[in-house]
Structures are given as C-alpha cells and as structure tokens.
Amino acid sequence: MAVPRQLPNTITIVRILCAPVFLWMLLADGGADGALRWWAAVLFIVAIATDGIDGWIARRYEIVTELGKLLDPIADKVLTGFAFIGLSILGELPWWITIIVLIREVGITVHRLVVASDHVVAAAWMGKLKTLAQAVALSLALLPLWTLVGDWIFWVNGVTMTIAVALTIASGIDYVITEVRGARRAKPAQ
C-alpha cells in the first residue's frame, strides 16, 4: 500500500490546529461539566493519540522527515500546553504547575528551533515517556469523571499529574545534559 509521503506531517499539523479548537471548547462554557467539556476532552484525547499514529506511519513506511522530527514534539507541546493553561484558567490546576511545565516546554522548543539549522533534536525516550504521562494526566483532568464516579477521582488525578510533572522536570534535565554532552563531543571535532 502506498502511503503519501506527507501523511505523517499532515497528521502532526492537524494536531496543532486542533489545539485552539480544544481550548475554546474547554473554556466556552466556563469549564462546566456539560457537553462541551466532554467534547473538549474527547478532542484532546483523539488529538494526542495521533502522536503515536503519525510516528508509527512515518517509521513503518520509512517516510521519516527532518520536518516531522521537528514538528512532532512541537505539536505535542502546543496541545498539552493549551490543556495545562486551560485547566489553570478554570482554577482546576495550580498556575505554578503550568508555569513549570511551560518553561520546560518552551525552553526546549526554542532550543530545538535555534539548533535546527545545525541538527534536528528528535524526541528522546524520556521525553516520549513525559508526553505519555502528560497525556494520561491531562485526559483524566479534562474528563469530568467526578460526575460519574465521585470525588475519589480527584486523588487519581493528583497522582497522575504529580507523575507527569516529575517526568517533565526530569526529562528537561535529561535533555539539557544530553545536549551539553553532545556539544562537548562536537567541539574537538571542529
């Protein structure tokens, strides 16, 4: 089966375009537990799930591109960043958590863009684990499951969000260490 070469990047771009729609849906009714909240959560879950799909297609059909390596982590950061911001605007997540996550995500994204002409920094395993943890934690926080199962779900949300934030910080540190080591190895070769 022939797969269009641009399909993975198109999926990634659609994920980026879903982010503002998702945020509007989340905030439109003030975060009420009604239909818009459920649809916002579903859109987030579907969009973040495409992260695995576009990567699988690119690897499976050997159509991995430098643009895809650059855009894929940016798409994840835009979508998850909007989710963190939305939850903080609604008062459901402390702003300090969102600020820590955004500093890590924006800092690494800016670095990736700065060094893009020299080399593309693909997502490392710890960064992928961080994205998975954020996706799970944000999905649980976005879905108004408390309306179905009760308040105990807030404890589960707290645990998953703590894991996601810890992995966000750890993967940021890992990224910086990896880049510094890479730069040191590259210097003698120049």
Side-chain angles (χ1 to χ4, degrees):
M1 176 174 112
V3 173
R5 182 159 179 76
Q6 68 277 13
L7 180 61
N9 291 345
T10 301
I11 294 170
T12 301
I13 291 167
V14 168
R15 187 163 65 250
I16 293 170
L17 296 175
C18 283
V21 176
F22 149 75
L23 185 61
W24 175 84
M25 292 172 75
L26 180 64
L27 300 177
D29 63 358
D33 302 337
L36 269 178
R37 175 70 179 241
W38 283 98
W39 282 112
V42 168
L43 179 59
F44 174 85
I45 292 166
V46 169
I48 201 71
T50 65
D51 178 39
I53 295 167
D54 60 6
W56 180 83
I57 292 170
R59 288 185 300 278
R60 170 73 172 85
Y61 295 99
E62 298 179 5
I63 49 178
V64 174
T65 65
E66 294 301 306
L67 178 63
K69 288 181 192 176
L70 184 66
L71 280 182
D72 187 64
I74 291 172
D76 298 336
K77 288 168 178 42
V78 169
L79 187 60
T80 58
F82 276 31
F84 279 106
I85 290 168
L87 289 169
S88 290
I89 288 171
L90 295 174
E92 298 177 18
L93 187 67
W95 273 105
W96 67 266
I97 290 175
T98 298
I99 291 167
I100 287 172
V101 169
L102 291 179
I103 288 171
R104 184 265 189 218
E105 303 296 15
V106 170
I108 288 177
T109 300
V110 168
H111 179 263
R112 275 194 169 108
L113 294 173
V114 167
V115 301
S117 63
D118 183 41
H119 67 284
V120 173
V121 182
W125 71 269
M126 189 177 272
K128 291 179 182 185
L129 183 61
K130 176 267 310 175
T131 300
L132 177 62
Q134 286 181 354
V136 169
L138 289 168
S139 296
L140 286 172
L142 290 166
L143 288 165
L145 294 174
W146 50 89
T147 63
L148 301 175
V149 299
D151 289 348
W152 67 269
I153 197 69
F154 292 120
W155 181 84
V156 174
N157 292 354
V159 169
T160 58
M161 192 61 71
T162 299
I163 292 168
V165 172
L167 282 171
T168 299
I169 294 167
S171 66
I173 292 168
D174 179 65
Y175 178 92
V176 170
I177 290 170
T178 300
E179 284 298 297
V180 168
R181 286 180 180 162
R184 284 184 184 157
R185 280 192 297 269
K187 273 191 178 176
Q190 294 174 351

